[in-house]
């Protein structure tokens, strides 16, 4: 099943269930429940003896995994070159879980796009893109009607831990622990080359999460008021800027990346697009050779 809005595809998946019903005033209603390609892909398993992979970058590892069995994924792919090199090793168990570990090791994104393409993006993907500006004062690319924010402490983390080859590694923000106590994020297994590189990955995580500040969580755009193909075409990881004007102060701009996109169609309220944001993962680092000028750490 494919769903389009203003001639732009917003979903592709397979129908899981069809239900028939009636509204109180006797209107017949057909409800389709569908999921994207991850549902069937999540059933894939490596051979019983596992599959050995040589040292390679994370994007190449994704391609190598998909090459083990062509039946695991038969649709299109868009795989970026990785910014991290992964150690040689043997993969066992569930294929999707392993690929999520590859993505987490890279600090990238792995998902099925709105047009059904299996997509892997490296952690610096946003550097090459132009941020979509969403503003409440008419100054941006898209006008939004509703904005939600999360508390300063919700995403705060002061200690990061991970595991490599059975050894648990950790990093902490000394100032963060002194000010806010121990708030731990566990990144799970890492496939990186050395303990030192894993520690760099942990510091990269803390650089964007050890300082609390309120941030935008999501905005809602009414397509009835302003048809916005730019909003419809957003994908996970795309760079965005949100401009909002709190009462009594000048406008504030926050940078982030797209964490989720949802579409709601209802009688009376029309078509609404909700964009959920994640804090800009590069906002706290300086990336050599780019215009990313965050402070606190060199990009890893």
């Amino acid at each position: 099943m494919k769903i389009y809005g203003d001639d732009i595809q917003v979903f592709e998946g397979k129908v899981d269930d069809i239900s028939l019903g009636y509204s109180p005033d006797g209107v017949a209603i057909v409800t389709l429940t569908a999921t994207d390609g991850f549902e069937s892909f999540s059933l894939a398993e490596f051979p019983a003896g596992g599959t050995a992979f040589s040292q390679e970058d994370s994007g190449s590892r994704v391609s190598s995994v998909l090459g083990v069995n062509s039946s695991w994924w038969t649709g299109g792919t868009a795989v970026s070159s990785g910014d991290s090199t992964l150690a040689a090793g043997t993969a066992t168990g569930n294929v999707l879980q392993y690929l999520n570990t590859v993505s987490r090791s890279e600090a990238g994104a792995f998902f099925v796009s709105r047009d059904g393409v299996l997509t892997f993006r490296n952690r610096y993907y946003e550097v090459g893109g132009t941020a979509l500006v969403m503003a409440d004062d008419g100054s941006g690319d898209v006008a939004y009607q509703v904005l939600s924010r999360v508390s300063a402490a919700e995403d705060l983390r002061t200690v990061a831990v991970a595991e490599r080859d059975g050894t648990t590694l950790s990093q902490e923000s000394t100032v963060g622990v002194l000010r806010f106590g121990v708030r731990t994020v566990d990144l799970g297994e890492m496939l990186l080359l050395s303990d030192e590189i894993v520690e760099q990955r942990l510091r990269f995580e803390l650089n964007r999460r050890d300082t609390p500040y309120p941030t935008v969580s999501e905005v809602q755009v009414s397509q009835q008021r302003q048809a916005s193909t730019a909003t419809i075409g957003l994908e996970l990881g795309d760079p965005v800027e949100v401009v909002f004007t709190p009462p009594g102060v000048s406008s504030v701009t926050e940078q982030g990346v797209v964490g989720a996109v949802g579409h709601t169609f209802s009688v009376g309220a029309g078509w609404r697009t909700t964009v959920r944001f994640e804090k800009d993962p590069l906002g706290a680092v300086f990336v050599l050779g780019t215009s990313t000028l965050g402070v606190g750490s060199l990009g890893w």
Side-chain angles (χ1 to χ4, degrees):
M1 181 175 72
K2 298 180 180 180
I3 300 175
Y4 289 81
D6 284 349
D7 296 323
I8 295 178
Q9 188 171 340
V10 297
F11 176 80
E12 181 171 329
K14 294 182 179 180
V15 175
D16 298 319
D17 187 39
I18 302 174
S19 61
L20 307 177
Y22 295 90
S23 67
D25 54 357
V27 176
I29 299 173
V30 178
T31 302
L32 303 179
T33 303
T35 53
D36 66 21
F38 262 173
E39 181 181 44
S40 56
F41 190 46
S42 66
L43 302 177
E45 298 281 331
F46 287 105
T51 300
F53 296 105
S54 59
Q55 178 180 309
E56 57 192 341
D57 72 73
S58 56
S60 297
R61 180 65 56 86
V62 171
S63 297
S64 296
V65 170
L66 296 178
V68 172
N69 188 330
S70 60
S71 67
W72 285 346
W73 184 265
T74 57
T77 61
V79 179
S80 301
S81 297
D83 289 314
S84 291
T85 301
L86 305 186
T90 300
T92 60
N94 184 268
V95 174
L96 182 57
Q97 288 180 356
Y98 181 80
L99 287 173
N100 282 330
T101 301
V102 171
S103 178
R104 192 169 58 251
S105 299
E106 164 69 33
F110 182 63
F111 59 95
V112 177
S113 68
R114 56 187 170 78
D115 53 357
V117 175
L118 190 67
T119 303
F120 173 76
R121 291 180 170 180
N122 60 45
R123 65 178 171 277
Y124 293 139
Y125 177 87
E126 66 168 286
V127 171
T130 300
L132 178 71
V133 180
M134 310 182 74
D136 62 355
D137 60 3
S139 63
D141 302 312
V142 176
Y144 62 84
Q145 287 73 48
V146 180
L147 177 145
S148 300
R149 305 188 78 198
V150 296
S151 69
E154 185 168 318
D155 195 48
L156 175 66
R157 297 294 182 270
T158 57
V159 176
V161 299
E163 183 177 301
R164 178 181 179 272
D165 291 341
T167 300
T168 299
L169 303 167
S170 66
Q171 290 287 297
E172 71 173 43
S173 167
T174 303
V175 174
V177 171
L178 288 174
R179 294 178 63 191
F180 311 111
V182 175
R183 295 170 176 255
T184 303
V185 55
D186 187 347
L187 299 184
E189 183 183 3
M190 293 281 112
L191 304 175
L192 298 165
L193 278 175
S194 68
D195 291 354
E196 180 182 5
I197 297 176
V198 173
E199 290 170 350
Q200 292 174 8
R201 168 70 178 91
L202 296 176
R203 288 196 293 270
F204 179 84
E205 190 73 19
L206 289 178
N207 281 336
R208 70 185 184 91
R209 302 182 68 173
D210 65 353
T211 302
Y213 62 89
T215 185
V216 172
S217 60
E218 65 181 35
V219 300
Q220 188 178 98
V221 177
S222 170
Q223 302 290 357
Q224 304 299 108
R225 298 187 185 184
Q226 174 188 326
S228 174
T229 55
T231 306
I232 300 171
L234 285 173
E235 289 284 13
L236 302 187
D238 282 349
V240 288
E241 290 184 2
V242 178
V243 180
F244 60 99
T245 309
V249 299
S250 58
S251 62
V252 177
T253 300
E254 290 190 7
Q255 297 176 328
V257 295
V258 175
V261 180
H263 300 278
T264 303
F265 304 82
S266 59
V267 177
W271 174 14
R272 290 152 290 160
T273 299
T274 300
V275 182
R276 183 165 297 172
F277 299 100
E278 295 180 358
K279 189 184 299 183
D280 185 0
L282 303 182
V285 299
F286 173 70
V287 184
L288 294 175
T290 76
S291 59
T292 300
L293 300 175
V295 296
S297 175
L298 282 174
W300 141 80

